[in-house]
Amino acid sequence: MQATKLPNDAKAGPTKPEVRAVLARKLALGPDDHFVEVGSCTGAVTVEAARRAGRVTALERKADRLETTRSNLAANEYDADVRLVNAEAPERLPDDGDVVFLGGSRNYERVLDAALAAGYDRIVMNVSRLEVAGEAARAFRDRDLLDEALCLQMATGYDLAGATSFDADNPVYMLVGEPESGGEPGDGE
Ligand SMILES: C[S@@+](CC[C@H](N)C(=O)[O-])C[C@H]1O[C@@H](n2cnc3c(N)ncnc32)[C@H](O)[C@@H]1O
């Protein structure tokens, strides 16, 4: 697998590589897909999506973070047609997208409604704060959208006096939605 280079950082990112690996599986992007990202920040997800999807639109509300997305994209190779947009979704959410990933949670209910109205096939959201995760899971359920709910918790080993100890990351909740499937969480695969 090609390494993802992120020479520039931004405060709220990047999404950890192991979480991105699970995310890639859940997004299941292919060359015919138009992938839309809400909250691109460092561009870590943007870069990896741009190697799988045909088109990528990355929205980021903070202009300086969008510039970080842009510079990190420039450090990597990818084939997709990528468009970067400085906007707070649902403003400028494309109406011809196939798959949307919400890495940022502002206005998420309105983003879900806009994506559903536009006929997106897959909607995935990552949340780290517990209360927001609970409310977002309810929002997915209320829209008959919740296909899977995952709680990812990574711990990375490091050397401690010749033995292996671990540094734990905070948990990340991943909500996977497939409009019209809306099964019980866990039915996904
Ligand atoms: C946790 S960070 C995403 C990290 C990113 N996946 C990465 O790997 O760097 C969330 C980002 O979403 C942005 N954001 C939050 N809500 C947004 C919205 N409604 N529209 C656009 N950007 C949004 C924030 O400014 C922030 O940069």
Side-chain angles (χ1 to χ4, degrees):
M1 198 169 60
Q2 243 177 319
T4 300
K5 296 177 204 145
L6 301 171
N8 303 292
D9 56 13
K11 197 174 170 197
T15 301
K16 296 279 191 308
E18 295 79 8
V19 173
R20 300 201 308 262
V22 176
L23 178 63
R25 182 166 170 82
K26 299 305 173 190
L27 294 174
L29 297 172
D32 293 334
D33 284 325
H34 178 188
F35 171 69
V36 177
E37 183 178 9
V38 173
S40 57
C41 195
T42 65
V45 173
T46 325
V47 167
E48 293 174 6
R51 292 178 177 148
R52 296 182 169 97
R55 274 201 295 157
V56 172
T57 300
L59 283 79
E60 172 54 62
R61 59 186 286 273
K62 296 206 168 187
D64 57 330
R65 293 186 186 169
L66 193 69
E67 286 316 305
T68 305
T69 306
R70 193 184 310 283
S71 57
N72 282 337
L73 267 168
N76 290 273
E77 288 178 18
Y78 55 88
D79 288 330
D81 173 9
V82 179
R83 205 160 59 98
L84 303 183
V85 181
N86 182 204
E88 182 170 310
E91 188 195 326
R92 300 189 61 190
L93 190 86
D95 57 14
D96 63 349
D98 299 299
V99 181
V100 61
F101 168 59
L102 291 83
S105 60
R106 279 199 176 218
N107 317 321
Y108 69 86
E109 293 208 55
R110 289 201 286 128
V111 175
L112 294 181
D113 290 335
L116 285 170
Y120 281 61
D121 300 328
R122 222 154 29 258
I123 300 176
V124 182
M125 180 172 182
N126 277 8
V127 191
S128 54
R129 287 173 294 167
L130 183 63
E131 290 80 0
V132 182
E135 289 158 11
R138 173 55 58 201
F140 272 62
R141 281 185 179 277
D142 287 349
R143 290 160 179 78
D144 200 16
L145 189 58
L146 190 64
D147 195 46
E148 279 188 275
L150 307 176
C151 176
L152 306 176
Q153 189 146 28
M154 277 298 302
T156 307
Y158 67 95
D159 184 82
L160 182 65
T164 307
S165 193
F166 285 88
D167 268 336
D169 292 333
N170 286 331
V172 175
Y173 302 94
M174 187 180 290
L175 305 173
V176 183
E178 298 223 6
E180 288 164 26
S181 93
E184 285 299 307
D187 289 353
E189 285 178 60

